[in-house]
């Protein structure tokens, strides 16, 4: 599978993200299962979670947290 890259992101409630990918699919990604990992733990702070933005190839948050585009795409749910 070719990699898909996020082009737009909107934070939702309960640590979910609505992501539009470069293939025009809109998908919901749940960040909550990742919060127990020390790297992603800062995202448990709602004010940090809200800083999400599209970076050069993936999503980034304030403080240097980012996530692999394949992780975002493969572990998200297509919105119909």
């Amino acid at each position: 599978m070719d990699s898909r890259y996020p082009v737009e992101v909107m934070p939702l409630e309960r640590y979910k993200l609505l992501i539009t990918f470069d293939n025009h699919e809109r998908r919901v990604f749940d960040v909550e299962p990742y919060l127990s990992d020390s790297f992603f733990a800062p995202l448990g702070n709602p004010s940090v979670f809200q800083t999400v933005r599209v970076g050069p190839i993936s999503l980034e948050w304030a403080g240097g947290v980012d996530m692999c585009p394949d992780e975002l795409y493969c572990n998200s749910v297509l919105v119909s």
Side-chain angles (χ1 to χ4, degrees), residues 10 17 20 22 26 28 31 39 42 46 72:
M10 181 174 40
L17 300 169
T20 304
D22 59 355
R26 295 176 65 211
V28 173
V31 176
F39 181 74
L72 294 167

Side-chain angles (χ1 to χ4, degrees), residues 59-80:
L59 299 183
E60 302 174 346
W61 287 266
V65 177
D66 62 358
M67 193 170 285
C68 172
D70 289 337
E71 185 79 19
L72 294 167
Y73 186 81
C74 293
N75 293 306
S76 58
V77 177
L78 184 63
V79 175
S80 54

Side-chain angles (χ1 to χ4, degrees), residues 12-16 30-32 49:
L12 304 174
E13 293 180 358
R14 297 184 177 168
Y15 300 104
K16 291 182 174 48
D30 187 358
V31 176
E32 190 169 21
F49 184 76

Side-chain angles (χ1 to χ4, degrees), residues 4-36:
R4 297 291 177 198
Y5 299 102
V7 295
E8 189 175 317
V9 63
M10 181 174 40
L12 304 174
E13 293 180 358
R14 297 184 177 168
Y15 300 104
K16 291 182 174 48
L17 300 169
L18 177 61
I19 306 169
T20 304
F21 287 87
D22 59 355
N23 64 351
H24 305 288
E25 286 183 4
R26 295 176 65 211
R27 303 177 72 90
V28 173
F29 181 83
D30 187 358
V31 176
E32 190 169 21
Y34 297 80
L35 298 179
S36 61

